[in-house]
């Protein structure tokens, strides 16, 4: 903790602030984020409304506080799921090797061939917009990264364990696998998790902006930007504020991921294109 | 001989991928909600029809066949270039794609150019001025670039350049100027990643023994970086750029929609929003093909740059 | 103007990590022109650090103290640009690990010629000529084929000869050969010895050989310096060193040679704390006294040349 660079400390602070604001939004928000007040639309920032109001009179500040909740939770759940699935698949591919590995690798390539937003949009179209379809879309897109790392690690251990394997018998090969898992794997996975979450938050916002993700009247940053588009000239704050929140969240996570990467000091190629 | 075997092996790996893409594209159509027969017989929901009529149309469309046969039929049509017709407009999908592809190509190409020039360029600058204020600034900027949502920046940029300062059009591509803002927006995250990657790769190479030796020959820093470190760094950098190209379609689609550019991406998103599944299928197919082509390009690049592959490990 | 290389109170430490540790301490070494000087020691003795410090090729984290005078200039104080002018043309390196020292992506010919060709216009044809003639001198019958090859296509021995040629491309006055026989079998070692002897006699005005191969050092060098944990413990002519080594460490080294019976030097003796202020060899020295653990022995000059750092030889 002590050795952290200044910017990492700031990033940690900002991230903590965002998460706390999201968790305690019901306590902190002065207004109900859904409550509209048609007599007071598009107001400038004032003592009553710190950031002003939006096109149907909802308090912007309250909506901002609530704005990260859904996307962050969504991003965390979806990425965790990807990690779990990727881990299992990578384990199978690495452990069994041979034809099984070949099939899994091909399937991984297929999923990588339908990149990012395209697939998410298509799945959102299929299943109708909403949380479930976004989770499915995110998982389909993200599991490959995790499975590749795990597969590589398992294969590396397998090589070593063959040497040990002369001493051990049958069943304990699995034990050796687990005993030899390098601390590197944990670190690498954490870094990938962090960078994926940052990217997913942005992707969720983009989908919501297009109307394919979270829907109005949900107080979500992405949705807010889409609603605010038309009013940008009159009340730029409506667009700028939620956007800055997304940037703050994504940036702080990326900076912390960098910090982790430096600590890890691993010279693996896989880290470089995270 | 080694070389041909390598090329064939790489191609062999890509073909199953292509097949997998077609399966998924087809699956998207099959799984989509809505009944195409019903759509045809009853487009606005007011007409009714008999079971006989239903079966007739079903047969005509080939929907009474088992799924696998449907898939093979569809595949056959695709390979012949028949992508079918859009539900929505009843126009030939192939025609639409042909009309719109050049636009998307220009957008994607321009954006790739920006990523390459500014990403690699700033990466080199950062590596050669390591730990200087310039390096710190550019590194920070790169990290910011990949943390910023494209659609949001697009709004800000449009406001600044098109509405306030009026130097670029707000939307559409009636002139080349219309491509500038979208290409920049599309290029931002890639530039950030590329810059960081270039920087770290070159710095890695500068730590290797052969660069110390290059120093010892009396080469100055610029020469060591450009003649040695950069050449070796080209491989991972080139691979990244290829991967970026392979995946550019998704981001391009969103950008096209925001800037109202008539490319294949905006076509696809509009189709998604109006449940026009044949179009979505065709689009997914196209993206998959581009991915495969981009991977082939990466492989060609790798072969050209890395002498070990060309010459194998011949001894003496 | 003397073209000896003279290091006075040279010290090098690296920052970062836990504590700053000295890789080289208070080194006083004169490398006279027209002779071959050897630096011998184990890994971590500081011999490479000393050699590389002359050329300014230490990593960025290195901090250098003291002075290194060549042609009336202190190399430790020169700017990077000025060092660039000296490297390759005045003082050159024959690097260790030849396979690692050559860029696997570039053809060998280019790596050889660029040392000279980049100096200015019109240099290129001369560079190509020198390159091919050097390669012939080093036993390559077909230099053109080598020029076209990549490092991974050649054997270890061939690469060693290539990097030897590389060091000489700029016609330097001084050559520093870093671990030229590391990892080579006996036949190749002999080959390299022959090459280095040739270079020392005909090509350069001074040579420094960094090695852990005592036999090579004694055969090739006129003077030898023995390093241990960053300190120069003994400096003698090679004949004297082989015949009558003074420092206990040197005696141990000589004694461990196959021709002398291969007696190993012991590991840390029990009860000897290695983190003390005194002589770095104290923990392993069978004949150490109490004062050896209290302070570093000063240099005791010997006649006609040389010195030893040992209380027992004061």
């Amino acid at each position: 903790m002590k050795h952290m660079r200044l910017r990492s400390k700031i990033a940690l602070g900002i991230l903590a602030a965002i998460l706390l604001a999201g968790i305690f939004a019901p306590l902190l928000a002065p207004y109900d984020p859904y409550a509209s007040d048609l007599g007071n639309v598009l107001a400038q920032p004032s003592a009553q409304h710190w950031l002003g109001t939006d096109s149907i009179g909802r308090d912007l500040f309250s909506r901002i506080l609530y704005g990260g909740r859904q996307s962050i939770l969504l991003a965390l759940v979806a990425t965790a799921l990807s990690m779990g699935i990727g881990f299992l698949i990578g384990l199978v591919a690495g452990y069994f090797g041979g034809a099984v590995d070949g099939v899994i690798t091909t399937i991984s390539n297929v999923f990588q061939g339908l990149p990012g937003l395209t697939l998410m949009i298509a799945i959102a179209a299929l299943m109708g917009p909403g949380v479930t379809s976004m989770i499915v879309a995110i998982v389909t897109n993200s599991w490959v990264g995790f499975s590749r790392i795990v597969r590589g690690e398992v294969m590396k251990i397998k090589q070593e364990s063959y040497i040990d394997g002369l001493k051990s018998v049958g069943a304990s090969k699995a034990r050796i696998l687990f005993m030899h898992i390098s601390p590197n794997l944990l670190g690498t996975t954490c870094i990938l998790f962090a960078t994926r979450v940052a990217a997913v938050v942005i992707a969720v916002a983009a989908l919501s902006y297009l109307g394919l993700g979270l829907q109005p009247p949900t107080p979500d940053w992405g949705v807010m930007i889409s609603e605010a588009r038309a009013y940008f000239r009159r009340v730029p704050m409506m667009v700028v504020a939620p956007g800055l929140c997304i940037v703050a969240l994504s940036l702080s996570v990326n900076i912390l991921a960098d910090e982790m990467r430096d600590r890890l000091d691993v010279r693996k190629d896989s880290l470089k294109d995270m | 001989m080694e070389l041909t075997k390598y090329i064939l092996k790489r191609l062999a790996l890509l073909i199953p991928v292509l097949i997998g893409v077609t399966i998924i594209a087809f699956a998207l159509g099959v799984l989509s909600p809505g009944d195409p027969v019903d759509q045809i017989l009853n487009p606005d929901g007011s007409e009714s029809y008999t079971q006989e009529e239903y079966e007739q149309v079903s047969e005509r469309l080939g929907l009474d066949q088992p799924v696998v046969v449907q898939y093979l039929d569809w595949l056959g049509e695709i390979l012949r270039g028949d992508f079918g017709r859009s539900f929505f407009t009843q126009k030939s999908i192939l025609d639409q794609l042909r009309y719109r592809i050049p636009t998307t190509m220009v957008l994607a190409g321009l954006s790739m150019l920006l990523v390459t020039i500014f990403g690699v360029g700033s990466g080199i600058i950062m590596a050669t001025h390591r730990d200087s204020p310039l390096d710190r600034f550019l590194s920070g900027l790169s990290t910011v670039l990949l943390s910023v949502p494209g659609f949001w920046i697009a709004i800000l940029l449009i406001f600044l350049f098109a509405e306030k300062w009026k130097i670029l059009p707000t939307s559409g591509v009636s002139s080349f100027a219309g491509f500038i803002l979208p290409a920049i927006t599309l290029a931002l995250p890639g530039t950030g990643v590329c810059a960081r990657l270039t920087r770290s790769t070159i710095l890695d190479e500068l730590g290797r023994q052969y660069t110390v030796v290059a120093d010892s020959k009396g080469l100055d820093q610029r020469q060591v970086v450009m003649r040695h470190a950069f050449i070796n760094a080209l491989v991972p950098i080139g691979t990244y750029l290829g991967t970026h190209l392979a995946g550019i379609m998704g981001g391009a689609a969103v950008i096209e929609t925001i800037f109202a550019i008539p490319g294949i991406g905006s076509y696809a998103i509009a189709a998604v929003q109006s449940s026009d599944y044949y179009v979505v299928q065709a689009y997914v197919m196209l993206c998959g093909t581009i991915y495969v082509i981009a991977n082939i390009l990466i492989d060609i690049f790798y072969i050209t740059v890395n002498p070990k592959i060309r010459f194998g490990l011949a001894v003496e | 103007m003397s073209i000896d290389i003279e290091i006075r109170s040279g010290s090098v430490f690296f920052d970062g990590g836990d504590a700053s540790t000295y890789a080289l301490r208070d080194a006083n070494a004169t490398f006279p022109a027209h002779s071959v000087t050897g630096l011998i020691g184990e890994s971590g003795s500081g011999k490479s650090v000393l050699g590389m410090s002359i050329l300014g090729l230490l990593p960025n984290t290195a901090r250098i103290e003291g002075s290194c005078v060549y042609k009336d200039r202190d190399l430790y104080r020169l700017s990077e640009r000025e060092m660039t002018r000296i490297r390759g043309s005045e003082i050159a390196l024959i690097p260790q690990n030849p396979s690692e020292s050559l860029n696997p992506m570039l053809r060998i010919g280019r790596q050889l010629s660029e040392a000279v060709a980049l100096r200015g216009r019109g240099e290129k044809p001369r560079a190509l000529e020198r390159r091919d003639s050097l390669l012939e001198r080093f036993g390559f019958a077909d230099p053109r084929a080598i020029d076209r090859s990549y490092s991974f296509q050649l054997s270890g021995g061939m690469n060693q000869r290539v990097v030897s040629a590389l060091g000489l491309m700029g016609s330097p006055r001084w050559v520093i050969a870093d671990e030229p026989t590391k990892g080579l079998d006996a036949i190749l070692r002999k080959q390299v010895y022959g090459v280095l002897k040739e270079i020392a006699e005909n090509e350069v005005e001074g040579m420094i050989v960094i090695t852990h191969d005592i036999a090579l050092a004694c055969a090739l060098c006129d003077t030898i310096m023995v390093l241990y944990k960053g300190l120069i413990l003994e400096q003698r002519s090679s004949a004297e060193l082989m015949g009558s080594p003074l420092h206990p460490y040197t005696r141990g080294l000589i004694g461990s040679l196959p021709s002398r019976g291969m007696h190993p030097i012991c590991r840390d003796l029990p009860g000897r704390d290695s983190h003390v202020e005194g002589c770095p060899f104290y923990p392993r020295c069978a004949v150490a006294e109490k004062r050896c653990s209290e302070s570093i022995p000063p240099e005791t000059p010997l006649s006609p040349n040389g010195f030893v750092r040992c209380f027992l030889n004061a």
Side-chain angles (χ1 to χ4, degrees):
Chain A
M1 272 302 167
K2 279 176 252 183
H3 299 294
M4 246 201 274
R5 271 188 286 247
L6 179 63
R7 69 163 180 263
S8 303
K9 290 190 193 156
I10 297 179
L12 191 60
I14 293 182
L15 184 61
I18 293 178
L19 291 176
L20 288 172
I23 296 174
F24 293 108
L27 294 173
L28 295 168
Y31 295 85
D32 174 359
Y34 292 91
S36 68
D37 176 8
L38 291 168
N40 192 16
V41 301
L42 297 176
Q44 294 294 328
S46 64
Q48 285 124 341
H49 295 279
W50 292 354
L51 291 175
T53 62
D54 69 1
S55 57
I56 54 176
R58 293 175 295 199
D59 176 40
L60 262 186
F61 180 66
S62 306
R63 302 203 89 213
I64 290 276
L65 283 178
Y66 273 86
R69 301 181 92 194
Q70 302 239 9
S71 7
I72 295 177
L73 197 59
L74 190 56
L76 285 173
V77 168
T79 313
L81 216 56
S82 313
M83 190 162 80
I85 294 179
F87 187 85
L88 284 171
I89 295 184
L91 198 65
V92 168
Y95 188 76
F96 291 106
V100 174
D101 178 34
V103 168
I104 290 182
T105 307
T106 309
I107 296 179
S108 310
N109 283 334
V110 170
F111 276 92
Q112 279 211 308
L114 304 164
L117 250 24
T118 319
L119 199 56
M120 288 199 206
I121 291 168
I123 292 180
L126 248 185
M127 304 176 61
V131 172
T132 333
S133 68
M134 279 206 287
I135 291 187
V136 172
I138 294 166
V139 170
T140 354
N141 194 43
S142 308
W143 69 264
V144 177
F146 291 104
S147 93
R148 285 237 163 99
I149 295 177
V150 172
R151 171 186 174 274
E153 185 67 24
V154 171
M155 291 196 141
K156 209 172 62 164
I157 301 174
K158 233 179 36 162
Q159 281 213 349
E160 293 170 29
S161 72
Y162 273 143
I163 302 172
D164 292 344
L166 291 169
K167 302 181 198 157
S168 65
V169 180
S172 47
K173 197 164 45 159
R175 254 195 88 213
I176 295 177
L177 265 175
F178 278 107
M179 277 175 24
H180 280 54
I181 291 179
S182 68
N184 268 345
L185 181 62
L186 190 65
T188 315
T189 313
C190 279
I191 295 174
L192 183 57
F193 186 85
T195 42
R196 286 309 303 168
V197 167
V200 166
V201 164
I202 293 184
V204 166
L207 283 177
S208 306
Y209 176 77
L210 289 174
L212 295 171
L214 300 166
Q215 302 291 320
T218 319
D220 172 76
W221 294 328
V223 175
M224 287 167 72
I225 297 180
S226 128
E227 290 178 318
R229 175 81 179 86
Y231 305 98
F232 185 53
R233 222 177 290 153
R234 283 181 66 181
V235 190
M237 181 63 76
M238 276 175 71
V239 168
V240 171
L244 282 178
C245 291
I246 299 176
V247 174
L249 177 62
S250 184
L251 189 58
S252 52
V253 172
N254 276 320
I255 290 179
L256 288 172
D258 277 348
E259 180 72 34
M260 277 195 271
R261 204 177 288 141
D262 286 342
R263 297 286 184 94
L264 212 54
D265 201 42
V266 174
R267 298 187 163 284
K268 284 187 188 174
D269 285 343
S270 58
L271 276 178
K272 289 186 193 136
D273 20 38
M274 278 183 211
Chain B
M1 205 47 229
E2 288 290 325
L3 192 56
T4 4
K5 262 206 282 185
Y6 179 79
I7 295 179
L8 287 175
K9 203 170 68 151
R10 301 297 300 168
L11 280 179
L13 285 175
L14 287 174
I15 295 188
V17 175
L18 211 45
I19 297 179
V21 170
T22 60
I23 294 179
I24 292 197
F26 181 70
L28 281 177
V30 167
L31 294 172
S32 60
D35 183 352
V37 180
D38 181 68
Q39 283 270 36
I40 291 187
L41 289 173
N42 186 8
D44 38 26
S46 52
E47 311 205 8
S48 59
Y49 45 84
T50 66
Q51 181 68 9
E52 226 181 59
E53 287 175 324
Y54 188 88
E55 280 170 14
Q56 256 184 4
V57 178
S58 228
E59 217 185 289
R60 184 160 55 95
L61 289 178
L63 290 169
D64 54 337
Q65 308 271 25
V67 180
V68 183
V69 178
Q70 284 189 48
Y71 167 67
L72 291 170
D73 283 339
W74 176 75
L75 202 56
E77 284 169 19
I78 296 281
L79 288 172
R80 268 178 280 137
D82 179 9
F83 285 92
R85 293 176 179 284
S86 145
F87 272 153
F88 208 55
T89 62
Q90 289 305 309
K91 284 197 231 161
S92 153
I93 297 182
L94 183 62
D95 285 342
Q96 270 296 302
L97 289 178
R98 256 200 269 158
Y99 173 68
R100 289 167 172 263
I101 278 188
T103 315
T104 305
M105 291 293 116
V106 173
L107 177 63
L110 191 55
S111 142
M112 279 301 298
L113 203 62
L114 290 172
V115 170
T116 310
I117 295 177
F118 288 97
V120 176
S122 58
I124 294 179
I125 294 177
M126 288 193 276
T128 44
H129 293 89
R130 180 190 198 160
D131 290 337
S132 69
L134 182 61
D135 174 29
R136 273 193 256 263
F137 171 69
L138 287 176
S139 295
L141 185 61
S142 307
T143 314
V144 170
L145 282 183
L146 60 92
S147 312
V148 159
F151 66 93
W152 182 68
I153 282 288
I155 298 176
L156 297 181
L157 287 178
I158 292 179
F159 175 70
L160 270 182
F161 286 91
E163 292 171 23
K164 192 149 187 202
W165 296 335
K166 298 202 194 307
I167 32 178
L168 292 170
T170 45
S171 64
V173 285
S174 44
S175 67
F176 180 74
F179 281 105
I180 296 181
L181 276 184
I184 292 179
T185 313
L186 188 57
L188 288 177
T191 308
V193 176
C194 187
R196 281 154 57 108
L197 176 67
T198 305
R199 177 187 189 276
S200 70
T201 321
I202 291 183
L203 286 179
D204 275 349
E205 296 297 321
L206 286 178
R208 307 246 310 253
Q209 174 84 350
Y210 70 83
T211 41
V212 177
V213 173
D215 274 335
S216 78
K217 289 189 243 183
L219 300 182
D220 62 41
Q221 200 209 21
R222 191 185 58 87
Q223 289 164 329
V224 173
V225 169
M226 293 313 291
R227 289 173 69 94
H228 285 270
F230 182 60
I231 307 285
N232 286 51
L234 267 186
V235 174
I237 293 175
T239 311
Y240 167 73
L241 287 175
T243 318
H244 190 252
L245 177 65
I248 211 170
M249 300 306 298
V254 177
I255 298 287
E256 284 179 17
T257 308
I258 295 175
F259 286 89
I261 295 180
I264 48 178
S266 53
Y267 184 47
I269 291 192
V272 162
Q273 285 164 334
S274 59
S275 306
D276 201 343
Y277 293 109
Y278 286 161
V279 178
V280 177
Q281 273 184 327
Y283 177 71
V284 170
M285 266 298 317
L286 205 54
C287 288
T289 315
I290 292 177
Y291 172 80
V292 169
I293 293 177
N295 269 290
I296 293 179
L297 287 176
I298 296 179
D299 283 336
I300 293 179
F301 170 74
Y302 197 64
I303 292 176
T304 325
V305 172
N306 191 346
K308 279 193 189 153
I309 303 208
R310 272 182 288 151
F311 296 102
L313 289 153
V315 184
E316 239 126 330
Chain C
M1 190 171 45
S2 149
I3 55 166
D4 299 348
I5 300 179
E6 237 190 78
I7 299 182
R8 291 272 153 261
S9 303
S11 299
V12 176
F13 64 93
F14 297 96
D15 33 54
D18 327 290
S20 302
T21 28
Y22 275 91
L24 188 68
R25 267 186 291 184
D26 195 30
N28 296 298
T30 306
F31 301 96
H34 312 294
S35 74
V36 182
T37 313
L39 301 173
I40 61 177
E42 317 168 348
S43 317
S45 57
K47 55 190 194 303
S48 277
V49 171
L50 195 136
M52 297 302 246
S53 76
I54 300 175
L55 278 168
L57 290 177
L58 292 169
N60 287 332
T61 50
R63 307 276 165 256
I64 308 181
E65 295 165 359
S67 69
C68 174
V69 178
Y70 171 72
K71 278 185 165 181
D72 294 337
R73 300 164 83 189
D74 182 359
L75 298 182
Y76 286 171
R77 302 277 167 276
L78 289 186
S79 71
E80 186 63 21
R81 183 171 297 175
E82 290 165 315
M83 282 308 292
T84 309
R85 280 201 277 266
I86 293 183
R87 291 184 198 131
S89 52
E90 297 269 348
I91 309 176
L93 178 71
I94 295 179
Q96 57 171 304
N97 280 331
S99 332
E100 293 291 309
S101 297
L102 292 167
N103 187 337
M105 297 280 212
L106 300 174
R107 293 186 206 263
I108 292 191
R110 188 178 123 141
Q111 297 184 55
L112 284 173
S113 61
E114 70 179 348
V116 179
L118 293 178
R119 295 255 182 84
R121 299 179 214 280
E123 291 286 345
K124 190 149 183 214
R126 227 182 309 166
L128 301 184
E129 229 187 88
R130 176 150 176 84
R131 171 186 76 191
D132 289 345
S133 86
L134 267 181
L135 285 174
E136 268 175 23
R137 293 274 302 284
F138 282 105
F140 290 110
D142 186 2
R144 296 293 177 81
I146 302 297
D147 289 337
R148 280 196 305 267
S149 310
Y150 293 90
S151 62
F152 56 84
Q153 291 174 304
L154 304 182
S155 70
M158 294 169 95
N159 277 332
Q160 179 65 63
R161 285 183 278 151
V162 165
V163 301
S164 304
L166 193 114
L168 294 182
M169 276 298 297
S171 310
R173 291 186 206 267
W174 276 91
V175 143
I176 302 178
D178 193 1
E179 302 274 16
T181 57
K182 188 147 125 185
L184 298 183
D185 62 47
I187 298 178
L188 282 176
R189 274 211 296 267
K190 211 148 179 239
Q191 220 176 42
V192 169
Y193 164 76
V195 161
L196 290 176
K197 199 148 173 68
E198 214 245 61
I199 297 175
E201 282 168 5
N202 300 318
E203 295 288 333
V204 298
E205 301 191 44
M207 180 186 279
I208 301 175
V209 179
I210 304 171
T211 183
H212 57 255
D213 184 346
I214 307 165
L216 174 78
C218 290
L220 192 57
C221 308
D222 305 308
T223 316
I224 297 185
M225 301 179 195
V226 180
L227 283 96
Y228 185 78
K229 292 228 166 87
L231 272 182
I232 303 179
L233 295 181
E234 187 168 353
Q235 180 197 309
R236 310 282 294 292
S237 75
S238 53
E240 287 173 341
L241 199 85
M242 279 298 274
S244 52
L246 288 176
H247 196 284
Y249 177 58
T250 323
R251 277 189 270 158
L253 279 182
I254 304 286
S256 69
L257 287 174
S259 55
R260 301 293 181 94
M262 250 167 134
H263 306 286
I265 308 177
C266 48
R267 289 270 126 223
D268 286 15
L269 293 168
R272 299 282 179 88
D273 185 4
S274 51
H275 299 298
V276 291
E277 278 301 307
C279 175
F281 190 59
Y282 172 72
R284 295 164 73 182
C285 185
V287 296
E289 300 174 354
K290 186 161 186 301
R291 53 180 169 159
C292 298
S293 69
E294 289 164 357
S295 55
I296 297 180
E299 292 172 13
T300 310
L302 306 163
S303 63
N305 279 317
F307 64 82
V308 65
R309 272 190 199 265
C310 183
F311 286 122
L312 301 170
N313 285 288

